[in-house]
Amino acid sequence: MYQQMIREECVKQSHVGMNPKLIEAWMRLEHGCLDGLSNRQFADEVAIAIQLIKAEPEASAKLAESYGL
């Protein structure tokens, strides 16, 4: 469910092709449950996660793996 929402948000932010699993992993690091995020918070967290993925691609993959994503 979250990965589809993340994909849609990536399109809105012109980041088509980003791996939603990596984005979700970074989001979960900060927010264990994503249900409580407002639409604006969700969009902001996606943007932050994208920047983290670009800066730390290997760490992003390991983080996603640690969450079973």
Side-chain angles (χ1 to χ4, degrees):
M1 172 179 85
Y2 293 118
Q3 290 178 28
Q4 182 58 37
M5 292 169 61
I6 290 168
R7 274 189 206 91
E8 291 170 8
E9 186 57 39
C10 284
V11 169
K12 289 179 189 175
Q13 295 184 23
S14 300
H15 291 286
V16 177
M18 293 297 295
N19 186 334
K21 293 178 182 181
L22 302 181
I23 295 171
E24 182 178 348
W26 281 111
M27 291 173 72
R28 288 191 177 279
L29 186 63
E30 183 69 24
H31 306 279
C33 180
L34 304 179
D35 287 341
L37 298 176
S38 69
N39 290 340
R40 182 65 192 166
Q41 288 172 312
F42 192 90
D44 289 347
E45 292 298 327
V46 168
I48 291 167
I50 289 169
Q51 294 306 311
L52 291 167
I53 292 164
K54 289 179 178 181
E56 298 287 340
E58 290 181 27
S60 300
K62 289 179 183 177
L63 181 61
E65 200 175 300
S66 75
Y67 281 108
L69 299 171

